[in-house]
Amino acid sequence: MNERLFIMKPRKEKIIEAAMSLFAEKGFAATGLREIADRAGVSLGNIYNHFKNKDELFQHIFNPGALVASLSDTFYELAEDFPFNIDRLILSIKKTIDANRALFKLIFIDLIEFEGKNTDQMIEYFIQTGRDIFKKQLEDRSRMGTLKKLDYEFFIRFFVITTISFFASSTMLPSVKTKKYSDERIAAMLSEVTLTGIRA
């Protein structure tokens, strides 16, 4: 007799997936724990075994550190040639957002229902990582004359916020979607504007 092995998702993972999906669809306030339990196929008590309340569940899902960790290897890989390989960094950020679409949709929920507390923390993580990795490169290239002198703290903030905002918005707003361009072409165009502007 052949036995078949079925790999079951742990209950906590089911709860997190159900909650992320419902929060992204309906918002935080409109989603109840019982509804999350029903979608996850678990009892309400199972949720309380892992999370003390809905707020803690949301905080667990919207984890800025985990998102930044997913990009930190790329940041270090690209540090040596930054900013002249900025297109590769933009492409990496887009791929991270695409791979975590439901999570990045929660940015909009967070902005409305939590006054951006978690989003601000996430952006700050990205900025801090960018500052630590790329600031020296920018300063060294400025001293060599290959980059003009500028406020690098501002540049890093501008770059991180605009790139994440652009791609996160495209997960929700059809008007932001750029389907006629490949990801590589989008990254190249954004890189060109960032590095050279639009003046002829």
Side-chain angles (χ1 to χ4, degrees):
M1 182 174 130
N2 291 333
E3 289 186 19
R4 300 175 86 183
L5 296 174
F6 293 96
I7 298 172
M8 300 293 289
K9 285 186 180 176
R11 285 192 180 116
K12 185 175 182 180
E13 191 178 327
K14 288 181 180 179
I15 292 164
I16 290 166
E17 285 180 4
M20 187 186 302
S21 172
L22 283 164
F23 289 150
E25 287 170 26
K26 301 177 64 175
F28 177 81
T31 300
L33 284 177
R34 188 168 297 284
E35 190 176 9
I36 293 169
D38 289 345
R39 183 168 291 191
V42 302
S43 71
L44 193 56
N46 285 143
I47 293 181
Y48 286 116
N49 286 339
H50 299 287
F51 304 100
K52 65 182 178 183
N53 54 38
K54 191 169 67 165
D55 288 71
E56 185 176 89
L57 176 54
F58 187 85
Q59 298 295 326
H60 179 84
I61 292 168
F62 201 65
N63 180 350
L67 286 171
V68 175
S70 70
L71 271 177
S72 60
D73 286 346
T74 304
F75 280 12
Y76 282 107
E77 177 194 337
L78 298 176
E80 191 174 327
D81 295 325
F82 187 79
F84 301 116
N85 59 1
I86 203 168
D87 58 327
R88 287 178 57 211
L89 182 58
I90 291 169
L91 189 58
S92 178
I93 291 171
K94 183 183 189 308
K95 286 181 177 176
T96 297
I97 291 172
D98 286 347
N100 297 281
R101 289 175 69 82
L103 192 56
F104 276 90
K105 280 184 180 181
L106 296 184
I107 288 175
F108 298 93
I109 305 301
D110 181 60
L111 290 172
I112 294 165
E113 300 192 44
F114 292 94
E115 297 183 349
K117 179 180 75 174
N118 300 290
T119 301
D120 190 59
Q121 189 182 8
M122 180 188 71
I123 296 291
E124 203 52 55
Y125 266 104
F126 275 108
I127 289 167
Q128 185 62 49
T129 304
R131 181 192 301 121
D132 293 346
I133 296 172
F134 298 124
K135 189 176 178 188
K136 184 178 183 307
Q137 279 295 106
L138 292 169
E139 288 172 344
D140 287 350
R141 290 185 185 281
S142 175
R143 278 194 292 276
M144 291 187 290
T146 52
L147 282 182
K148 64 181 180 183
K149 205 163 179 59
L150 49 80
D151 183 334
Y152 300 115
E153 176 81 16
F154 179 83
F155 171 78
I156 290 166
R157 284 182 179 275
F158 168 79
F159 172 73
V160 168
I161 291 168
T162 53
T163 305
I164 291 173
S165 298
F166 180 78
F167 292 126
S169 296
S170 73
T171 67
M172 295 285 289
L173 305 172
S175 61
V176 182
K177 291 188 191 312
T178 48
K179 290 183 180 175
K180 71 177 190 173
Y181 302 112
S182 69
D183 289 351
E184 289 74 17
R185 181 67 186 133
I186 292 169
M189 288 190 293
L190 290 174
S191 171
E192 185 178 1
V193 169
T194 301
L195 289 174
T196 63
I198 59 172
R199 282 195 293 184

